[in-house]
Amino acid sequence: MGLSATLSNALSGLTAASRAAEIVSANVSNAQTEGYGRRELMLTSATLGGSGGGVAVSGVVRSIDQHTIGERRLADAALGQSGAGVAFFDRLEMLVGLPDDPASLAAKTTQLQAVLLEAASRPDSDTRLDAILAAATGLSDHLNSASDQVQNLRMDADREIGQQVKTLNESLVRIADLNYEIRLQIGGGNDASGLMDQRQQLIDRVATIVPLNEVPRDNGQIALYTPGGAILLDGKPAEISFTTVGVIVPQMTQASGALSGLLINGQSISTTDNGPLSGGSLIELFAVRDDYATTAQSQLDAVARDLVERFADPLVDPTLALGSPGLFTDAGGVLNVANEVGLSGRLKINALVDPAAGGEIRLLRDGLGASVPGPVGNASIIQAMNDALEAPKIPASGGFSGAARSAVGLAGDFISHVNGKLRGAEANQSFASAKHDALKTIELRSGVDTDQEMQQLLLIERAYSANARVISTVDDMIQTLLGI
C-alpha cells in the first residue's frame, strides 16, 4: 500500500471517528429527552482507484423499539382515560360528601330528622319550628347546589373536549408536515432523525387523547390508525369536528341534538366506549358529559322526588288539599313526574311556611292547609313528617335497587354509589399507571444507555488516536523521503 493510500485510509478513519464522537455526544446529552431515538453511525468500505480507500459514513440510523413504544402509547391512552374518570368522581364525591361529613347529603337529611324529633317534643316552640325550616332549607339548598355543580362538571367536560379536539387536529397537521419534510430529507440523502424525534413527541402527545397504532410508510413516513379502525393520518390528516356550548342544563343531551358529538371528515362517529376513538381521555370526557354526570343528575333528582313525595302525602298532613304541594316543592308547585329531569335543581321549600316569603312558621305544626291556628301542643303533623322520613320506601326513579329504604338510607345509597364509582375508577387508574410505568421503563432500557455510550466513546478515542498516529507516521516518512 502506498503512502497516499495509507494517508487516505487514516484520514477517512479520523472523519468517521469524529462523526462517531458527535453521535455519542448527542446520545448522551439527550438520554432523558422525550421522543429521542438513539443514533447509530453506519459505515461502509470506501474505494479509491479500484482499491481499498478506508471507510465512508453511509448514514445515521435512528434506533428505537417500535413495538414497546406502540404498547406504551396504548398505555398512555388508558391512563388518560382513567384519569378523566377519577377527576369527575372525585369532584362528585366532594359535592355530595361522605356519610360522616356534617355537610354531606346524608348528614343534612339526618339533621332534618333530628330537628323534627326535637320539635315534636315542644311543638309550641317557634325556635324549634325555625330549626325545622332551616334544616329543610339546608337540605334543599344542598340538592340545588349539587345539581348546579353536576352541570358545571358537564360544561367543564364539554370545554375540555373542544380543547382536546383542537390539540388533536393541530398535532395531526404538524405530523403530516413532518412526514413531508422527512421524506424530502431522506430523498436527498440527509439525516432526518431530528425530524423523527419531533414527530414522535407529537404522536406521544396525541396518544393520551386517543389510542394510536403507527404504521410505517415509504421514505420514513408513517400512518396513524386507532385500534377502533379510525384513520387519523394516511397521507392527509383527518379533520375532527366538535362544537362546544356555552351553558348546559340537565335536559340537554347529545341524543336530542342539544350537545355536539364528533365528526371525522364530516362523518358522524360514535362517542361511546365501542366507538372508533374509544380508549383515551377524549371519549372518557364524553362519558363524563353524557353518562356519568347524567346518571348523577338522575339520582339527585330521584332523591329530590323522594323528599317531595314523602311530604306531599295527605297521611302526613291531612290539611293538604288534593294536588297541593307539601313541604318540598318543584319550584313552588306540585311535582310533574313527566318533568323530573333537573328536579333537584328546582327543589324549593313551600313559601307558606317561610316568613321571609310571607308565610307562617306555625303551619309546620298546624298543617300547610290550616286557615286558622291550631293547638300549640299538637305535634301530630311534626311527628308524621318524621315518620315519613323514616318510613321504608322504594325509589320511583334514579336506577336504584328495588329495596325499600328511608330518606337517610336513600341519601346514603347515593353517596355509596358515588364512592364505589370513584374507588373503581381509582383502581383502573392504578392499573393503567403501573402498566404505563413498566412499559416506560422498558422503553428507556432500549433507548440510550449512557454506560454503553461512554464505552463506545473510549473505542472511538482509540480509533482516532490510531489513525492520528498513522498520519503522523506517514508525515515523518514523507519528510524523510524529501530530506526535510
Side-chain angles (χ1 to χ4, degrees):
M1 180 183 294
L3 292 180
S4 60
T6 301
L7 186 61
S8 176
N9 287 348
L11 286 172
S12 70
L14 281 179
T15 300
S18 176
R19 186 74 180 96
E22 291 176 6
I23 295 295
V24 170
S25 175
N27 286 341
V28 172
S29 61
N30 289 283
Q32 300 299 319
T33 301
E34 293 292 332
Y36 181 82
R38 180 178 179 273
R39 274 55 158 173
E40 295 180 2
L41 191 67
M42 302 299 293
L43 301 175
T44 58
S45 299
T47 58
L48 182 65
S51 58
V55 296
V57 176
S58 60
V60 176
V61 174
R62 182 172 179 268
S63 177
I64 59 173
D65 184 347
Q66 191 61 54
H67 175 74
T68 299
I69 290 175
E71 290 297 313
R72 191 261 303 157
R73 284 174 180 161
L74 294 178
D76 286 345
L79 188 58
Q81 178 183 18
S82 61
V86 167
F88 171 77
F89 287 112
D90 184 57
R91 292 178 65 183
L92 182 60
E93 184 180 65
M94 293 175 62
L95 292 178
V96 299
L98 294 172
D100 57 352
D101 182 354
S104 71
L105 180 60
K108 288 186 177 295
T109 308
T110 301
Q111 175 64 18
L112 176 58
Q113 189 172 337
V115 297
L116 284 169
L117 280 172
E118 291 176 359
S121 66
R122 284 290 306 277
D124 60 316
S125 171
D126 285 349
T127 299
R128 297 196 179 188
L129 295 180
D130 287 337
I132 295 175
L133 177 60
T137 302
L139 178 55
S140 175
D141 289 346
H142 185 87
L143 286 166
N144 294 163
S145 177
S147 176
D148 291 342
Q149 290 302 315
V150 166
Q151 297 312 306
N152 287 339
L153 291 176
R154 295 183 76 196
M155 286 189 285
D156 290 345
D158 192 76
R159 284 191 292 268
E160 182 61 22
I161 291 170
Q163 185 57 50
Q164 290 198 5
V165 167
K166 179 182 178 183
T167 299
L168 184 55
N169 281 324
E170 291 174 349
S171 299
L172 290 176
V173 169
R174 182 56 184 146
I175 293 169
D177 291 342
L178 286 170
N179 258 351
Y180 177 74
E181 294 174 21
I182 289 168
R183 187 186 70 179
L184 291 181
Q185 292 297 320
I186 292 178
N190 300 315
D191 179 18
S193 297
L195 297 174
M196 291 180 178
D197 289 344
Q198 294 180 42
R199 186 177 65 187
Q200 180 170 322
Q201 292 171 5
L202 285 171
I203 297 173
D204 289 347
R205 179 185 180 190
V206 172
T208 63
I209 300 174
V210 294
L212 294 173
N213 288 326
E214 179 180 328
V215 181
R217 294 287 187 257
D218 294 338
N219 297 316
Q221 298 182 97
I222 55 97
L224 296 175
Y225 295 79
T226 70
I231 304 173
L232 296 183
L233 174 68
D234 199 351
K236 293 180 61 178
E239 182 179 354
I240 295 90
S241 303
F242 176 80
T243 304
T244 58
V245 296
V247 177
I248 296 180
V249 297
Q251 292 77 11
M252 294 173 66
T253 64
Q254 187 182 160
S256 69
L259 297 177
S260 175
L262 283 177
L263 302 176
I264 296 183
N265 296 328
Q267 298 296 316
S268 177
I269 65 166
S270 171
T271 56
T272 62
D273 280 343
N274 57 0
L277 297 184
S278 64
S281 61
L282 180 61
I283 297 302
E284 186 69 1
L285 287 169
F286 275 99
V288 167
R289 190 195 70 175
D290 300 334
D291 182 8
Y292 304 156
T294 55
T295 298
Q297 181 67 55
S298 173
Q299 293 181 328
L300 283 170
D301 294 341
V303 172
R305 176 178 176 178
D306 183 72
L307 286 171
V308 171
E309 292 178 339
R310 285 177 186 270
F311 286 87
D313 189 344
L315 295 177
V316 175
D317 185 354
T319 68
L320 284 177
L322 185 63
S324 298
L327 178 61
F328 292 95
T329 72
D330 183 352
V334 297
L335 169 65
N336 178 5
V337 295
N339 187 35
E340 183 181 331
V341 177
L343 173 63
S344 54
R346 304 190 303 268
L347 193 67
K348 299 296 179 188
I349 299 302
N350 198 318
L352 292 174
V353 302
D354 187 0
E360 298 179 84
I361 196 69
R362 69 169 181 86
L363 295 179
L364 286 171
R365 176 186 61 236
D366 299 335
L368 298 181
S371 58
V372 295
V376 295
N378 183 9
S380 61
I381 292 180
I382 296 175
Q383 184 61 54
M385 286 192 288
N386 178 68
D387 293 341
L389 282 177
E390 292 182 335
K393 181 175 179 292
I394 298 175
S397 57
F400 292 100
S401 67
R405 70 271 279 173
S406 66
V408 174
L410 181 59
D413 281 354
F414 175 49
I415 292 173
S416 178
H417 171 81
V418 174
N419 183 262
K421 287 291 186 181
L422 176 58
R423 299 287 88 80
E426 287 176 337
N428 290 337
Q429 184 183 48
S430 178
F431 175 78
S433 179
K435 183 177 181 180
H436 170 271
D437 291 346
L439 288 167
K440 189 65 178 178
T441 299
I442 296 173
E443 182 183 355
L444 290 173
R445 286 175 183 168
S446 65
V448 177
D449 184 335
T450 53
D451 291 338
Q452 181 182 349
E453 295 296 329
M454 298 311 295
Q455 292 175 8
Q456 182 66 22
L457 185 59
L458 290 175
L459 296 177
I460 293 170
E461 289 177 349
R462 291 175 183 174
Y464 189 94
S465 298
N467 283 290
R469 285 197 298 271
V470 170
I471 292 175
S472 177
T473 301
V474 170
D475 180 61
D476 290 342
M477 294 175 65
I478 291 176
Q479 292 188 41
T480 300
L481 291 171
L482 296 177
I484 297 177

